[in-house]
């Protein structure tokens, strides 16, 4: 089982990034996909979730109106499109896959996003 994030990097305030989370080793279409972020010394923060069927999404307060989560079942990949980035969005972003009704949950290794001029 693997979740591999990519797409992080350094971006100026107001810029955009698209993070990807490539999944393998499990039935991607059966899992809810979530993005979290974490800053050293702080608790992990929920960013966004997309249901296994792909139709329903939920966002944390910091992401509403600026971020969009999506998934491509053909590519077994989840995405997080981030617009109007702010310095406070700087964090390590990790994706998570979990199957409702079970304790099964997988995590990626994370990708660093730095928003700075």
């Amino acid at each position: 089982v693997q979740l591999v994030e990519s797409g992080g990097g350094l971006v100026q305030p107001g810029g955009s990034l698209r993070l990807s989370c490539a999944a393998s080793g499990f039935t991607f279409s059966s899992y809810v996909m979530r993005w979290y972020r974490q800053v050293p010394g702080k608790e992990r923060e929920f960013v966004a979730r997309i249901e296994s069927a792909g139709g329903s999404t939920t966002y944390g307060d910091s992401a509403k109106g600026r971020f969009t989560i999506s998934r491509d079942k053909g590519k077994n990949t989840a995405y997080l499109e981030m617009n109007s980035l702010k310095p406070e969005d700087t964090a390590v972003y990790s994706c998570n896959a979990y199957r409702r009704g079970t304790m099964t949950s997988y995590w990626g290794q994370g990708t660093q996003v730095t928003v700075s001029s």
Side-chain angles (χ1 to χ4, degrees):
V1 172
Q2 270 196 317
L3 291 174
V4 180
E5 299 97 334
S6 61
L10 174 64
V11 63
Q12 292 187 343
S16 299
L17 281 176
R18 187 176 82 154
L19 306 183
S20 300
C21 174
S24 61
F26 63 97
T27 306
F28 179 73
S29 60
S30 297
Y31 283 72
V32 179
M33 298 301 297
R34 299 181 293 190
W35 285 95
Y36 285 82
R37 67 187 188 184
Q38 190 165 23
V39 176
K42 294 188 176 181
E43 290 189 359
R44 186 163 55 199
E45 177 187 5
F46 168 75
V47 177
R49 175 179 65 228
I50 186 166
E51 294 297 329
S52 56
S56 178
T57 57
T58 306
Y59 295 91
D61 288 342
S62 62
K64 289 178 181 176
R66 299 188 300 127
F67 296 1
T68 303
I69 189 171
S70 62
R71 65 193 296 162
D72 184 330
K73 292 180 181 180
K75 295 182 178 180
N76 283 1
T77 300
Y79 302 96
L80 184 68
E81 184 77 33
M82 305 187 294
N83 298 311
S84 302
L85 284 162
K86 307 172 183 179
E88 52 263 44
D89 293 317
T90 296
V92 174
Y93 285 71
S94 299
C95 67
N96 168 265
Y98 84 96
R99 188 162 185 169
R100 287 193 179 280
T102 76
M103 298 293 289
T104 305
S105 178
Y106 306 122
W107 287 93
Q109 83 290 349
T111 185
Q112 176 70 47
V113 171
T114 302
V115 184
S116 175
S117 55

